[in-house]
Each structure stands twice: as C-alpha cells, then as structure tokens.
Amino acid sequence: MSDNKDNNKKSEPVVVRLDEDARNEARSILFHAYLHEPTFQYLFDHRRAGYEQRVRATIRELVDLYIDLNQESVGVMVDDTLVAVAFIGEPELRLNLADQISWRIRMVLTAGFASTRRYLDYHEKIKQLLPQPLAHQLPLMGVNPKYQNLGYGRLLLSTVERLCAENPRGSGLVLDTGNSRYLPFYESEGFRSLGKIRLGDFEDHVLFREVTPAERKAAPG
C-alpha cells in the first residue's frame, strides 16, 4: 500500500537555468522533440538516408551555438530529471545566424551542405516576417515524450515569456511551428500569426507574442 501511495504522488516541477552540464540531456530531449516535426522533416529531407544523423547534428550544433554565445536557456526538472528545455535567442541573434562562420562550417561538415543551405534559407524567410522593433526568438523548445501532456510545456513557455519581459532589448517573443496541432496551445498563450512559410506541401506558422509595458513592469527583477 505504501508503494502505491508513493507512486501516486505527483512531484512538483522545478524551473532551472541550464548550464554546461545539461548539454547532452538537452540535445536528447530536443532530438526526440524535433525528429518527427514536419519542418525538420522537410528541411533535412527525411526521405533520404541519414535523416536522423542530420537532425542529431543540427540539434547538437544549435545547442552548442546558443550555449557558447551565452544565450538564455531554461529547463523543467522533475525528480532530478530534466524533462523539458528551451533556448532563447536575443533579438539580434537569428538575424545574424548566417554570419556565424564557424557554426556554418560545422553544420556543413555534419548535416551537409544542402541541409545547411535549406536551413539558412528558411531562417531568411522568417527574418522577413519579424516585427519591428525586433523580438526575442524561441528557436528550440521540447518536452521529453514521456512527460508530455502534463503541463510542463506550458510552464516552460510561461517562464520564457517572463524572461523576455525582463529583457528590454526585445518587443516580445517569436516562435515558429510546422505542426498545426500546436496552434491552439500557442494561441491560448497569447500568440498571433505573423505569416506563413510554404515548405513543400505544408506551411510553417510564424507566431508572435507582444510583451506589454505592464508585463515588463510586473516582471520580477
């Protein structure tokens, strides 16, 4: 009986800032989060051999890039297990992604030239839809499949929104998704559409949530 009671207890999630030691865990969570997403399947050509390796390489290079550039990253811990992560790009970063020469070289060597070129073209299209003044970006966010539908994604996103509200350099938060089933969730969080990008036979949605002066004032810190 005591074992059943212990198993039924719901552990409280804890939001943490990520550090160097979280690289591998973050990569694993994001790999499984993006592997079957339509946008990644299109950008990295899931019909061609080596797709999983290209996704894994891209996630690794992006995580390393954001950590090395000291970008904000947060996660959700449950019972000492990292179950969800998000990386936040400062307003200037995505615009200058193509200028990260060492990152581009590593991407070409690991994900291939064609995939790297397609990825950069995709971000150039996103750039054309960005609001002015510029907003923070949410390029990577994922929840461990074993912990989905438990509210951890919403907790993570609300934390990201609060951090963006504390930072005066951005007007809000931009994210994108090629999976239309996520749209109601983002809309419930106050995101609106900036536009769509045609990728093969589907559309990638670019969404924006403004940070109002009241939210900035209310944000702790």
Side-chain angles (χ1 to χ4, degrees):
M1 292 295 293
S2 59
D3 289 341
N4 289 336
K5 288 181 180 179
D6 290 340
N7 291 336
N8 289 332
K9 289 181 180 179
K10 183 178 180 181
S11 300
E12 289 296 322
V14 178
V15 176
V16 297
R17 277 186 163 90
L18 303 182
D19 58 21
E20 289 276 350
D21 295 334
R23 284 188 194 236
N24 289 337
E25 291 177 279
R27 290 168 181 166
S28 178
I29 291 172
L30 293 169
F31 170 76
H32 290 97
Y34 284 95
L35 182 63
H36 300 295
E37 285 301 297
T39 300
F40 264 55
Q41 289 183 335
Y42 172 81
L43 293 175
F44 301 104
D45 194 358
H46 70 287
R47 296 183 178 88
R48 186 163 57 88
Y51 169 68
E52 289 193 11
Q53 289 85 346
R54 290 190 292 277
V55 172
R56 196 180 299 277
T58 300
I59 293 297
R60 181 181 65 247
E61 296 304 333
L62 286 173
V63 167
D64 288 351
L65 174 67
Y66 284 99
I67 290 178
D68 292 344
L69 292 177
N70 297 316
Q71 299 300 292
E72 190 76 73
S73 57
V74 292
V76 176
M77 299 282 294
V78 178
D79 290 333
D80 296 324
T81 299
L82 187 64
V83 303
V85 296
F87 287 78
I88 309 168
E90 293 181 356
E92 303 86 357
L93 182 61
R94 180 170 282 187
L95 291 178
N96 297 326
L97 188 59
D99 297 333
Q100 303 294 329
I101 303 301
S102 61
W103 174 84
R104 290 180 62 182
I105 292 173
R106 291 194 302 272
M107 277 289 292
V108 170
L109 292 175
T110 56
F113 177 82
S115 292
T116 302
R117 182 69 268 167
R118 183 177 286 189
Y119 189 77
L120 290 174
D121 288 345
Y122 161 68
H123 279 285
E124 182 63 26
K125 293 177 181 178
I126 291 179
K127 173 183 173 181
Q128 297 171 8
L129 296 174
L130 293 180
Q132 297 293 336
L134 297 179
H136 291 82
Q137 314 292 317
L138 185 58
L140 296 170
M141 184 175 79
V143 179
N144 185 319
K146 296 180 180 179
Y147 293 86
Q148 291 179 354
N149 302 314
L150 296 175
Y152 300 139
R154 192 176 295 275
L155 172 62
L156 188 63
L157 185 58
S158 65
T159 301
V160 170
E161 293 169 352
R162 177 177 60 80
L163 290 172
C164 291
E166 294 173 358
N167 190 325
R169 292 198 298 275
S171 61
L173 178 64
V174 171
L175 58 82
D176 58 271
T177 179
N179 198 327
S180 59
R181 69 186 177 93
Y182 293 150
L183 293 179
F185 166 68
Y186 290 126
E187 290 171 354
S188 71
E189 287 291 315
F191 284 85
R192 61 178 178 82
S193 176
L194 288 178
K196 303 174 184 178
I197 299 173
R198 171 61 62 176
L199 298 176
D201 58 359
F202 73 97
E203 292 177 319
D204 187 88
H205 300 263
V206 182
L207 307 172
F208 172 69
R209 184 189 189 280
E210 186 176 1
V211 175
T212 66
E215 287 172 308
R216 291 184 188 276
K217 184 177 181 181

